[in-house]
Amino acid sequence: MMILQILLTRRMLMCVALGFSSGLPLYLLLQLLPAWLRSEGLDLKTIAAFSFMQLPYTWKFLWAPLMDRYTLLSKFGRRRSWILATQLALLASIFALGQFQPQQEIITIAILATLVALFSASQDIVIDAYRREILNDEELGLGNSIHVNAYRIAGLVPGALALILADHLPWPQVFLIVALFM
């Protein structure tokens, strides 16, 4: 009973929600995007070139100090304002991603995929900092493990559910549904 009380606290539930929304864009880029491009008839060389879009995850330490220093909307606080901004940017960019035809507009899709990676990496920065702020030292280990597991479970949405939906719905609607999971 004690562990259930700990797991159902507001802070731990925040770790679940933020972990899920943090993991969803990465798996979208790693699983759903290549499947979409392949189903649209793009060659493997073109799809492989999309691996460069993951660079923002590697280089996010460059802009992390700026996000730590500045607040977008003081009403929400430093961390939550950045979380809100990255969530809205991800929602818009994921939705926009599905609105283009890969055969005709691959450059636009590549730019949008890179923006998704940039916004997702930025969101990771802020969520990690926010999680550290809301959890006390005793809760940090459990909160981090809950966050990581929710992050991994998020791979099921674009990895499985979205691919099942793609068999029944057009790709723009699939991307809209994935964006709404954010």
Side-chain angles (χ1 to χ4, degrees):
M1 186 65 178
M2 178 77 161
I3 189 74
L4 191 58
Q5 288 175 329
I6 294 170
L7 290 174
L8 294 178
T9 63
R10 183 178 177 272
R11 292 185 303 269
M12 292 302 163
L13 293 174
M14 288 289 292
C15 290
V16 171
L18 292 174
F20 188 86
S21 67
S22 186
L24 190 68
L26 176 64
Y27 289 106
L28 179 141
L29 294 172
L30 295 178
Q31 296 173 349
L32 186 61
L33 185 64
W36 175 45
L37 297 178
R38 191 67 184 144
S39 75
E40 295 292 323
L42 269 71
D43 62 276
L44 292 177
K45 285 182 184 179
T46 304
I47 296 170
F50 272 77
S51 65
F52 286 109
M53 76 188 151
Q54 297 174 34
L55 286 176
Y57 291 100
T58 305
W59 295 98
K60 64 185 178 180
F61 70 90
L62 294 174
W63 64 92
L66 296 174
M67 297 181 83
D68 193 45
R69 172 80 169 107
Y70 297 105
T71 303
L72 292 179
L73 303 167
S74 58
K75 175 180 169 180
F76 294 108
R78 184 176 344 142
R79 309 289 186 224
R80 289 185 295 178
S81 66
W82 279 109
I83 290 171
L84 178 63
T86 56
Q87 283 286 303
L88 292 174
L90 280 165
L91 178 70
S93 57
I94 291 170
F95 173 73
L97 192 59
Q99 304 307 307
F100 295 94
Q101 298 298 319
Q103 290 289 353
Q104 292 85 25
E105 301 158 311
I106 193 65
I107 301 295
T108 304
I109 291 171
I111 291 168
L112 284 169
T114 304
L115 286 174
V116 169
L118 178 70
F119 298 141
S120 177
S122 298
Q123 178 179 291
D124 287 352
I125 293 166
V126 180
I127 287 175
D128 288 345
Y130 184 67
R131 190 174 63 252
R132 182 60 189 115
E133 281 182 1
I134 65 170
L135 298 175
N136 60 42
D137 290 342
E138 293 80 31
E139 297 173 320
L140 196 56
L142 179 62
N144 285 340
S145 65
I146 288 172
H147 172 84
V148 168
N149 283 302
Y151 192 99
R152 290 181 179 172
I153 290 170
L156 296 176
V157 174
L161 178 62
L163 294 176
I164 292 168
L165 290 175
D167 284 341
H168 305 287
L169 299 172
W171 281 103
Q173 289 179 4
V174 172
F175 277 96
L176 173 62
I177 291 168
V178 170
L180 293 176
F181 272 99
M182 292 300 300

